[in-house]
Amino acid sequence: MQHLMLDLEFLGKPPLARLCTIGAVFFDPKTGALGAQFYVRVKWAEETDQSLPFEASTVAWWMTQPDAAAFEILTNEDRYPLFQALNGLSQYIEQHCGVKDVQVWGNGSDCDCVILGGAYKSLFLPAPWEFWNTRDVRTIVQLARDLRGVDIKRAIPFNGTKHHGLHDAIHQAQYVSHGFHVLGGAS
């Protein structure tokens, strides 16, 4: 599989924001099949772990979310320094596809891929994808609405906890695959 769906949870707004979790899943948009998954909680509370900015308003928003979602962001359990988390993601991509071939999907052309790319850059690490291989979830959602009158985002039931990086990535991969089918790109 060459398509990788990302979902980040973070404390701030694009283009730079302090990362809290990284979720990813490989998928085949033509068949809807899901592949290898990746999930990591990132240390964000200490300046020594990452120097990316965060915003008080985003922290306040997280505190209004359901307990399961807020737990993933606010707990200090099982967190890894940003450098280690990004290296883990890079190894996962290399192991399952390769930097040259992976097509990375994010929710918004200015969001997940941009924030994650900024995190790599902040640590002087290369992003594990080619810049021309980024894809945008919101574009396929809008195309399905405009061309076929279908809200693919709502057509697929959500399983798991909303605002959990891996659960959101899986859901996005599922409705993007549905979008391929709706738009006539599925085999």
Short mmCIF file of all heavy atoms in Angstrom, two decimals, residues 23 34-35 47 49 61 67 69-70 75 80 92 101 105 112 118 120-121 131 133 167 179 186:
data_model
loop_
_atom_site.label_atom_id
_atom_site.label_comp_id
_atom_site.label_asym_id
_atom_site.label_seq_id
_atom_site.Cartn_x
_atom_site.Cartn_y
_atom_site.Cartn_z
N GLY A 23 -1.22 9.79 14.60
CA GLY A 23 -1.87 8.55 14.18
C GLY A 23 -1.71 8.40 12.68
O GLY A 23 -1.75 9.40 11.95
N LEU A 34 -7.45 -1.58 4.77
CA LEU A 34 -6.57 -0.89 5.70
C LEU A 34 -5.33 -1.74 5.93
O LEU A 34 -5.40 -2.97 5.93
CB LEU A 34 -7.27 -0.65 7.04
CG LEU A 34 -8.51 0.23 7.00
CD1 LEU A 34 -9.16 0.29 8.38
CD2 LEU A 34 -8.18 1.63 6.51
N GLY A 35 -4.21 -1.09 6.16
CA GLY A 35 -2.95 -1.79 6.38
C GLY A 35 -2.36 -1.46 7.74
O GLY A 35 -3.09 -1.21 8.71
N GLU A 47 9.67 22.03 27.49
CA GLU A 47 10.36 22.73 26.41
C GLU A 47 11.51 21.91 25.85
O GLU A 47 11.88 22.08 24.70
CB GLU A 47 10.86 24.09 26.90
CG GLU A 47 9.77 25.08 27.17
CD GLU A 47 8.96 25.46 25.94
OE1 GLU A 47 9.53 25.55 24.83
OE2 GLU A 47 7.75 25.68 26.08
N ASP A 49 11.48 18.85 25.10
CA ASP A 49 11.00 17.83 24.18
C ASP A 49 10.61 18.38 22.82
O ASP A 49 10.75 17.72 21.81
CB ASP A 49 9.83 17.06 24.79
CG ASP A 49 10.29 16.21 25.96
OD1 ASP A 49 11.37 15.60 25.85
OD2 ASP A 49 9.60 16.20 26.98
N TRP A 61 -9.79 24.41 24.75
CA TRP A 61 -10.73 23.62 23.94
C TRP A 61 -10.61 22.13 24.28
O TRP A 61 -11.62 21.45 24.43
CB TRP A 61 -10.46 23.86 22.45
CG TRP A 61 -11.36 23.04 21.56
CD1 TRP A 61 -12.63 23.36 21.17
CD2 TRP A 61 -11.05 21.78 20.96
NE1 TRP A 61 -13.13 22.37 20.37
CE2 TRP A 61 -12.17 21.38 20.23
CE3 TRP A 61 -9.93 20.94 20.99
CZ2 TRP A 61 -12.22 20.19 19.52
CZ3 TRP A 61 -9.97 19.76 20.29
CH2 TRP A 61 -11.11 19.38 19.56
N ASP A 67 -13.89 12.89 27.99
CA ASP A 67 -12.76 12.41 28.79
C ASP A 67 -11.78 11.55 28.00
O ASP A 67 -10.57 11.69 28.14
CB ASP A 67 -13.27 11.62 30.01
CG ASP A 67 -13.91 12.53 31.04
OD1 ASP A 67 -13.74 13.76 30.95
OD2 ASP A 67 -14.58 11.99 31.94
N ALA A 69 -11.01 11.53 24.82
CA ALA A 69 -10.20 12.34 23.91
C ALA A 69 -9.21 13.19 24.69
O ALA A 69 -8.03 13.25 24.35
CB ALA A 69 -11.10 13.22 23.05
N ALA A 70 -9.68 13.84 25.73
CA ALA A 70 -8.80 14.70 26.54
C ALA A 70 -7.69 13.88 27.20
O ALA A 70 -6.55 14.35 27.31
CB ALA A 70 -9.62 15.44 27.59
N THR A 75 -2.84 13.34 29.38
CA THR A 75 -2.13 12.41 30.25
C THR A 75 -0.63 12.47 29.98
O THR A 75 -0.20 12.77 28.86
CB THR A 75 -2.63 10.97 30.05
OG1 THR A 75 -1.93 10.12 30.97
CG2 THR A 75 -2.35 10.45 28.65
N TYR A 80 6.53 10.08 24.27
CA TYR A 80 7.88 10.02 23.74
C TYR A 80 8.32 11.40 23.29
O TYR A 80 7.52 12.18 22.78
CB TYR A 80 7.94 9.03 22.57
CG TYR A 80 7.64 7.62 23.01
CD1 TYR A 80 6.34 7.14 23.02
CD2 TYR A 80 8.66 6.80 23.47
CE1 TYR A 80 6.05 5.87 23.46
CE2 TYR A 80 8.38 5.51 23.91
CZ TYR A 80 7.08 5.05 23.90
OH TYR A 80 6.80 3.78 24.35
N TYR A 92 8.50 3.54 10.32
CA TYR A 92 7.24 2.88 9.94
C TYR A 92 6.96 3.08 8.45
O TYR A 92 6.62 2.13 7.73
CB TYR A 92 6.13 3.43 10.84
CG TYR A 92 4.72 3.34 10.33
CD1 TYR A 92 3.97 2.17 10.45
CD2 TYR A 92 4.10 4.47 9.78
CE1 TYR A 92 2.66 2.12 10.02
CE2 TYR A 92 2.80 4.42 9.36
CZ TYR A 92 2.08 3.25 9.47
OH TYR A 92 0.77 3.21 9.05
N ASP A 101 7.75 6.50 -2.53
CA ASP A 101 6.46 6.06 -3.06
C ASP A 101 5.25 6.45 -2.22
O ASP A 101 4.13 6.45 -2.72
CB ASP A 101 6.47 4.53 -3.21
CG ASP A 101 7.49 4.06 -4.23
OD1 ASP A 101 7.66 4.74 -5.25
OD2 ASP A 101 8.13 3.02 -3.98
N TRP A 105 -1.71 11.54 3.12
CA TRP A 105 -2.98 12.26 3.19
C TRP A 105 -3.10 12.96 4.54
O TRP A 105 -2.79 12.37 5.57
CB TRP A 105 -4.15 11.30 3.05
CG TRP A 105 -4.33 10.71 1.69
CD1 TRP A 105 -3.61 9.70 1.13
CD2 TRP A 105 -5.32 11.08 0.74
NE1 TRP A 105 -4.08 9.42 -0.12
CE2 TRP A 105 -5.15 10.26 -0.39
CE3 TRP A 105 -6.33 12.04 0.73
CZ2 TRP A 105 -5.95 10.36 -1.51
CZ3 TRP A 105 -7.14 12.13 -0.40
CH2 TRP A 105 -6.94 11.30 -1.51
N ASP A 112 -2.44 18.85 8.65
CA ASP A 112 -1.64 17.74 9.16
C ASP A 112 -0.26 17.60 8.50
O ASP A 112 0.75 17.53 9.19
CB ASP A 112 -2.41 16.42 9.02
CG ASP A 112 -3.66 16.39 9.87
OD1 ASP A 112 -3.52 16.32 11.10
OD2 ASP A 112 -4.76 16.46 9.32
N GLY A 118 6.60 20.67 9.47
CA GLY A 118 7.24 21.68 10.31
C GLY A 118 7.92 21.08 11.53
O GLY A 118 8.98 21.55 11.96
N TYR A 120 9.25 18.03 11.67
CA TYR A 120 10.50 17.44 11.17
C TYR A 120 11.55 18.54 10.97
O TYR A 120 12.70 18.39 11.39
CB TYR A 120 10.27 16.69 9.85
CG TYR A 120 9.79 15.27 10.04
CD1 TYR A 120 8.45 14.95 9.93
CD2 TYR A 120 10.69 14.25 10.31
CE1 TYR A 120 8.01 13.64 10.10
CE2 TYR A 120 10.26 12.94 10.47
CZ TYR A 120 8.92 12.64 10.36
OH TYR A 120 8.48 11.35 10.53
N LYS A 121 11.13 19.63 10.35
CA LYS A 121 12.06 20.72 10.06
C LYS A 121 12.61 21.33 11.35
O LYS A 121 13.78 21.70 11.43
CB LYS A 121 11.37 21.78 9.21
CG LYS A 121 12.30 22.85 8.68
CD LYS A 121 11.57 23.82 7.77
CE LYS A 121 11.64 23.27 6.37
NZ LYS A 121 11.17 24.22 5.36
N PHE A 131 7.51 16.11 -1.18
CA PHE A 131 6.52 17.18 -1.01
C PHE A 131 5.40 17.10 -2.05
O PHE A 131 4.28 17.51 -1.79
CB PHE A 131 7.18 18.57 -1.02
CG PHE A 131 7.71 19.01 -2.36
CD1 PHE A 131 6.89 19.71 -3.23
CD2 PHE A 131 9.01 18.72 -2.74
CE1 PHE A 131 7.37 20.12 -4.47
CE2 PHE A 131 9.50 19.12 -3.96
CZ PHE A 131 8.68 19.83 -4.83
N ASN A 133 3.95 14.49 -3.02
CA ASN A 133 3.10 13.34 -2.74
C ASN A 133 2.18 13.54 -1.54
O ASN A 133 1.78 12.59 -0.89
CB ASN A 133 3.95 12.07 -2.54
CG ASN A 133 4.26 11.40 -3.86
OD1 ASN A 133 3.59 11.63 -4.85
ND2 ASN A 133 5.29 10.58 -3.86
N HIS A 167 -7.75 6.69 15.61
CA HIS A 167 -9.16 6.46 15.27
C HIS A 167 -9.61 7.43 14.17
O HIS A 167 -10.33 7.02 13.24
CB HIS A 167 -10.04 6.63 16.51
CG HIS A 167 -9.72 5.67 17.61
ND1 HIS A 167 -10.31 5.73 18.83
CD2 HIS A 167 -8.86 4.61 17.67
CE1 HIS A 167 -9.84 4.77 19.62
NE2 HIS A 167 -8.94 4.10 18.93
N GLY A 179 -15.08 7.83 -0.99
CA GLY A 179 -15.07 8.90 -1.97
C GLY A 179 -14.53 8.44 -3.31
O GLY A 179 -15.07 8.82 -4.36
N ALA A 186 -12.83 3.70 -7.89
CA ALA A 186 -12.59 2.39 -7.27
C ALA A 186 -12.76 1.30 -8.31
O ALA A 186 -13.54 1.42 -9.25
CB ALA A 186 -13.55 2.18 -6.11
#
